[in-house]
Amino acid sequence: MSTVAGPARARSGWNRSWRARPLLQWAAALLIGGIWIGAGFRSRTAADFANFYCAGEILRERDAAAVYQSGPMAECYERRFPAQEPVLPFIRPPFYALALAPLTAFGPEAAMWAWMVLNIAALAAAALLTAQATGIESSAVALLAALFFPSLYAFFNRQDAPLVAALAAAGYALAARGRDRAAGLALAAAAIKFHLLVMMPVALLGRSRKPEARSQKRRVLEGFLVGVGLLVAISLVMVGPAGLLEYGRMLALRSAPNIEINPQRIANLSSLGGGSWIQVPLIALAAGAVLVAARRLPTPEAMAAAWLTAAMLFVASLAQVP
């Protein structure tokens, strides 16, 4: 008994000691985050923001179908971001181009700084919502956020990982508060990176042991389906059924130029099979793990398991392009 109690007391003492240092945690978080974000602001490259900006501008000046055409994208790069190479295809859903369009009311440089500030606010919101939902000290969550490479590297490559993190945290926090359908809507909005949601229906359809957990998952799923349905309807209005089919074909066949600019750097579970049949059992095992989590964990934690599993499966291979 003493061999168990000793380490347990040591861990408890360490936890109390670490929690007693919120000022140090805040200082470390601000220092690390400030270094990353400051370096991002000093960088002059547009990186992936060029693709986002051009998608919004093409939509505003032409039509939604042109957003996915290499010619208009190359013209926009040449006009707005002549130093940026290579020209990347826009591979996000049509509704996201609509959300990006207001940024083009500003010039490219002003819009990029606005984009950076928006992502800083999103990262702060993600940390705050996570702290409130989990009961973890806000200083500890801030430090973890500062150490979370994908979100902070987004300030270098001008990606939108902090926005997705904020939507994920909003879904978790709303579910923790019992606002289940609103949680589902927040999850649906994260479909701007829809590959991160592929395991979410598995988690929400998994049968929990407790009736109240089953009811909560059903309500979250209802909100999720309503939100996804609205986004699909918006995209259908924008590009039509044929346009959506063409968009899906482009993603499935990876037919757009530069859709994989660094294939040698792909490293995730899905790619371990090198494109062979082994990917199928890998993905099936991952889905099984999410089902087990959905059965045993509360709904917010099951949702988190779905996020993490999808990230391990797919995120690296699709993170090479915006």
Side-chain angles (χ1 to χ4, degrees):
M1 182 174 181
S2 60
T3 59
V4 176
R9 282 196 298 269
R11 287 194 299 271
S12 177
W14 186 89
N15 288 335
R16 285 196 300 271
S17 175
W18 185 240
R19 286 197 298 269
R21 296 181 174 86
L23 290 180
L24 289 177
Q25 291 175 328
W26 277 117
L30 292 174
L31 176 63
I32 297 169
I35 290 173
W36 276 99
I37 294 172
F41 270 97
R42 287 193 298 272
S43 174
R44 309 308 298 176
T45 179
D48 290 348
F49 179 74
N51 181 264
F52 293 151
Y53 186 92
C54 283
E57 183 170 270
I58 293 168
L59 176 65
R60 187 165 58 86
E61 295 181 351
R62 301 193 186 192
D63 55 50
V67 169
Y68 299 102
Q69 297 171 3
S70 59
M73 186 64 70
E75 291 172 11
C76 180
Y77 265 65
E78 184 177 358
R79 184 174 69 255
R80 295 294 198 178
F81 306 96
Q84 188 64 42
E85 293 182 350
V87 177
L88 299 177
F90 185 73
I91 65 169
R92 300 295 185 84
F95 69 83
Y96 194 41
L98 183 63
L100 293 167
L103 285 170
T104 63
F106 307 97
E109 186 170 3
M112 185 170 67
W113 299 137
W115 179 251
M116 296 276 282
V117 171
L118 176 63
N119 275 277
I120 291 173
L123 186 59
L128 178 62
L129 289 168
T130 300
Q132 291 176 346
T134 61
I136 300 173
E137 289 285 345
S138 57
S139 58
V141 175
L143 180 56
L144 291 172
L147 295 171
F148 185 56
F149 179 79
S151 284
L152 289 172
Y153 189 68
F155 295 102
F156 279 92
N157 66 3
R158 317 303 194 206
Q159 265 279 349
D160 53 1
L163 293 177
V164 179
L167 291 169
Y172 186 100
L174 289 166
R177 296 173 187 173
R179 299 178 61 184
D180 304 324
R181 293 184 177 87
L185 289 172
L187 292 176
I192 58 177
K193 277 185 174 282
F194 58 85
H195 54 289
L196 294 179
L197 292 171
V198 294
M199 290 293 168
M200 195 60 64
V202 177
L204 297 177
L205 289 170
R207 186 175 179 82
S208 299
R209 294 173 176 176
K210 298 181 179 180
E212 58 270 23
R214 291 197 294 270
S215 298
Q216 184 180 30
K217 286 179 182 175
R218 187 191 70 248
R219 291 190 295 269
V220 174
L221 182 60
E222 289 171 357
F224 178 73
L225 292 176
V226 168
V228 170
L230 287 172
L231 295 176
V232 171
I234 292 170
S235 297
L236 275 172
V237 170
M238 292 176 65
V239 300
L244 275 187
L245 288 173
E246 179 62 23
Y247 171 65
R249 188 192 69 80
M250 177 193 72
L251 294 182
L253 300 179
R254 302 180 182 183
S255 57
N258 296 322
I259 196 168
E260 290 182 293
I261 58 174
N262 289 309
Q264 73 279 5
R265 292 173 56 189
I266 293 173
N268 56 32
L269 292 179
S270 180
S271 64
L272 287 179
S276 70
W277 62 270
I278 197 66
Q279 290 182 356
V280 176
L282 282 172
I283 294 172
L285 284 172
V290 174
L291 278 175
V292 172
R295 180 173 176 80
R296 298 184 177 183
L297 297 177
T299 302
E301 283 76 6
M303 291 161 49
W307 278 106
L308 292 172
T309 304
M312 289 189 294
L313 278 171
F314 303 117
V315 70
S317 61
L318 292 181
Q320 307 304 322
V321 287

